[in-house]
């Protein structure tokens, strides 16, 4: 039987996944929110999706603007919208009976903890990163700069419901999910480990904030990694990564460093971050954004760093490096990321003490 998948999100990541899955024989429907139709309309006007780079060719894509049609099309819903749009999709899904559906947020940034408090759904999974480094032109053409070899994933284990852990930890369930993705899936203990495996929070905010003057004065007319990831920036990135690794260690996770994770994703063997910035094909050609108010800050700070800062506080870990980045982002943009981001209150974890947090999310519980 042909695999059917509905992708919720008609942006670069959604179209890249659609092109990749379609080339493997999967029947794909893309849902575009009616208020964000730009990329969908551009593709529809051409009658097909044209892709360049790591994914090449012409793909005949099916697009809908009806959330009802999307939910009816498949029991597998892959959410590829930016995290700033996840709440919009979540609101649209509330009227539907989703007990037999599986939602996979790509990436999740702990979307599962928020969604679990608002909707009843069969299974919620999330990945640490998008499988593709990609952009879309105003003409509706997709460029894929890099395609990752592996991504991390986990299902939400609902507290007080051991059946969800047993069902999602079975080899048959994991095989079913692996069938969807071209990338090798690395199964994590839980969604906290997945969040800590998202190195975007380590890379992106500092690269933007430490290059803010150059970005604003040139409107991003330089190569972000090749020209912007210098030794001092790398040192700051490693300081944030140290906190991330310490949080992971407290939960019993065996996390890879930022350079090890990047090498694993792209099948590379760079020795350090500056080496990667100068020589990694998926990174070295990426231009800087035209201003600092972009998803490298507006998503990665509130959705990753704010969460990590809160977890570190609960666990008694020195997180001054992470706090400094969050504070700088707040000052530079005027946004209260600590209050508005995915803090422990918004993730429904604020009431847990240190031991309760470890009991719920540590490796011991997974075993």
């Amino acid at each position: 039987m042909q695999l059917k998948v509905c992708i919720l999100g008609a942006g670069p990541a959604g179209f890249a996944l659609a092109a990749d899955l379609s080339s493997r024989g999967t029947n794909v429907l893309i849902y575009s929110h009616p208020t964000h139709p730009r990329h969908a309309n551009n593709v529809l006007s051409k009658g097909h999706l044209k892709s360049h780079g790591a994914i090449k060719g012409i793909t005949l894509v099916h697009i809908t603007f009806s959330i009802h049609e999307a939910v009816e099309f498949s029991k597998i819903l892959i959410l590829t919208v930016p995290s700033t749009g996840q709440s919009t999709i979540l609101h649209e899904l509330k009227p539907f009976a989703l007990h037999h559906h599986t939602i996979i947020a790509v990436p999740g940034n702990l979307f599962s903890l928020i969604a679990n408090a608002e909707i009843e759904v069969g299974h919620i999974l999330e990945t640490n990163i998008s499988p593709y480094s990609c952009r879309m032109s105003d003409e509706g053409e997709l460029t894929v700069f890099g395609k990752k070899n592996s991504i991390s994933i986990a299902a939400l284990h609902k507290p007080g419901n051991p059946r969800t852990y047993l069902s999602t930890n079975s080899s048959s369930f994991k095989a079913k999910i692996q069938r969807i993705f071209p990338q090798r899936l690395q199964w994590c203990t839980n969604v906290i480990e997945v969040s800590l495996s998202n190195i975007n929070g380590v890379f992106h905010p500092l690269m933007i904030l430490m290059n803010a003057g150059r970005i604003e004065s040139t409107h991003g007319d330089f190569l972000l990694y090749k020209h912007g990831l210098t030794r001092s920036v790398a040192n700051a990135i490693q300081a944030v990564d140290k906190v991330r690794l310490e949080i992971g260690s407290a939960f019993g996770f065996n996390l890879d460093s930022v350079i090890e994770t990047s090498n694993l994703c792209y099948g590379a063997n760079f020795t350090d971050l500056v080496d990667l910035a100068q020589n990694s094909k998926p990174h070295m050609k990426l231009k800087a954004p035209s201003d600092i108010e972009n998803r490298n800050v507006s998503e990665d700070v509130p959705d990753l760093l704010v969460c990590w800062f809160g977890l570190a506080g609960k666990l008694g870990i020195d997180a001054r490096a992470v706090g400094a980045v969050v504070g700088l982002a707040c000052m530079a943009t005027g946004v209260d990321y600590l209050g508005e981001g995915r803090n422990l209150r918004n993730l429904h974890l604020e009431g847990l003490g240190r031991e309760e947090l470890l009991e719920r999310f540590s490796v011991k519980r997974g075993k």
Side-chain angles (χ1 to χ4, degrees), residues 99 102 132 144 162 197 210 270 285:
H99 299 88
T102 294
Y132 314 96
V144 180
S197 299
M210 293 185 73
F270 297 110
K285 296 181 181 179

Side-chain angles (χ1 to χ4, degrees), residues 181-202:
F181 290 94
Q183 293 76 16
R184 180 172 62 88
L185 298 180
Q186 295 190 115
W187 286 89
C188 294
T189 305
N190 53 53
V191 295
I192 295 292
E193 184 178 5
V194 171
S195 169
L196 290 167
S197 299
N198 187 344
I199 58 173
N200 288 344
V202 180

Side-chain angles (χ1 to χ4, degrees), residues 193 195-206 233-250 253-263 271-273 304-305 308 312 317-323 325:
E193 184 178 5
S195 169
L196 290 167
S197 299
N198 187 344
I199 58 173
N200 288 344
V202 180
F203 265 120
H204 294 165
L206 276 167
V233 177
N235 290 341
I237 287 173
Q238 288 171 330
V240 170
D241 200 42
K242 181 174 181 290
V243 178
R244 180 184 70 91
L245 294 174
E246 288 182 4
I247 297 170
S249 179
F253 306 146
N254 185 25
L255 300 177
D256 292 321
S257 69
V258 61
I259 188 65
E260 290 169 338
T261 301
S262 185
N263 281 339
T271 56
D272 71 358
L273 295 173
L304 292 170
L305 294 187
W308 298 351
I317 293 170
D318 182 356
R320 283 177 292 178
V322 174
V325 181

Side-chain angles (χ1 to χ4, degrees), residues 145-217:
F145 300 102
K147 180 178 172 180
K148 299 175 178 68
N149 295 327
S150 65
I151 55 177
S152 297
I153 191 169
L156 177 68
H157 305 149
K158 300 177 183 179
N161 188 351
R163 292 181 62 185
T164 60
Y165 171 75
L166 293 174
S167 63
T168 57
N169 201 44
S170 68
S171 58
S172 60
F173 180 83
K174 291 180 178 180
K176 176 184 175 183
I177 301 302
Q178 178 63 80
R179 185 187 169 205
I180 301 169
F181 290 94
Q183 293 76 16
R184 180 172 62 88
L185 298 180
Q186 295 190 115
W187 286 89
C188 294
T189 305
N190 53 53
V191 295
I192 295 292
E193 184 178 5
V194 171
S195 169
L196 290 167
S197 299
N198 187 344
I199 58 173
N200 288 344
V202 180
F203 265 120
H204 294 165
L206 276 167
M207 289 182 61
I208 299 300
L209 294 168
M210 293 185 73
N211 285 282
R214 188 174 187 182
I215 289 172
E216 293 179 335
S217 63

Side-chain angles (χ1 to χ4, degrees), residues 50-169:
K50 187 174 183 179
S51 306
H52 310 271
I55 299 176
K56 295 184 176 73
I58 302 293
T59 305
L60 298 178
V61 292
H62 303 285
I63 301 173
T64 182
F65 296 93
S66 165
I67 190 64
H68 183 272
E69 184 179 352
V71 171
E72 289 293 315
F73 179 79
S74 174
K75 299 298 184 187
I76 300 171
L77 306 176
I78 303 181
L79 184 63
T80 63
V81 297
S83 55
T84 50
Q86 288 176 347
S87 59
T88 300
I89 298 295
L90 189 57
H91 178 75
E92 289 197 311
L93 291 175
K94 283 184 179 180
F96 297 95
L98 301 171
H99 299 88
H100 299 291
H101 281 73
T102 294
I103 297 177
I104 309 173
V106 181
N109 297 332
L110 296 178
F111 164 82
S112 58
L113 293 177
I114 298 171
N116 185 56
E118 298 190 30
I119 61 173
E120 288 288 335
V121 61
H123 300 294
I124 310 176
L125 296 87
E126 55 182 80
T127 70
N128 62 330
I129 49 180
S130 170
Y132 314 96
S133 174
C134 53
R135 302 279 167 83
M136 287 196 80
S137 70
D138 291 334
E139 292 73 37
E141 295 191 2
L142 174 72
T143 299
V144 180
F145 300 102
K147 180 178 172 180
K148 299 175 178 68
N149 295 327
S150 65
I151 55 177
S152 297
I153 191 169
L156 177 68
H157 305 149
K158 300 177 183 179
N161 188 351
R163 292 181 62 185
T164 60
Y165 171 75
L166 293 174
S167 63
T168 57
N169 201 44

Side-chain angles (χ1 to χ4, degrees), residues 223-336:
L223 299 176
L224 183 60
Y225 283 82
K226 192 172 183 65
H227 300 148
L229 208 173
T230 58
R231 179 56 57 196
S232 60
V233 177
N235 290 341
I237 287 173
Q238 288 171 330
V240 170
D241 200 42
K242 181 174 181 290
V243 178
R244 180 184 70 91
L245 294 174
E246 288 182 4
I247 297 170
S249 179
F251 284 109
F253 306 146
N254 185 25
L255 300 177
D256 292 321
S257 69
V258 61
I259 188 65
E260 290 169 338
T261 301
S262 185
N263 281 339
L264 184 64
C265 284
Y266 291 105
N269 56 356
F270 297 110
T271 56
D272 71 358
L273 295 173
V274 177
D275 181 25
L276 176 147
Q278 295 299 311
N279 299 298
S280 170
K281 290 183 179 179
H283 297 90
M284 61 189 293
K285 296 181 181 179
L286 289 176
K287 287 194 65 176
S290 59
D291 57 57
I292 69 167
E293 295 188 22
N294 59 78
R295 61 188 178 87
N296 295 293
V297 173
S298 63
E299 291 181 28
D300 294 338
V301 171
D303 297 342
L304 292 170
L305 294 187
V306 167
C307 168
W308 298 351
F309 187 71
L311 290 174
K314 284 279 188 180
L315 297 171
I317 293 170
D318 182 356
R320 283 177 292 178
V322 174
V325 181
V326 175
L328 182 57
C330 292
M331 289 187 290
T333 64
V335 178
D336 179 17

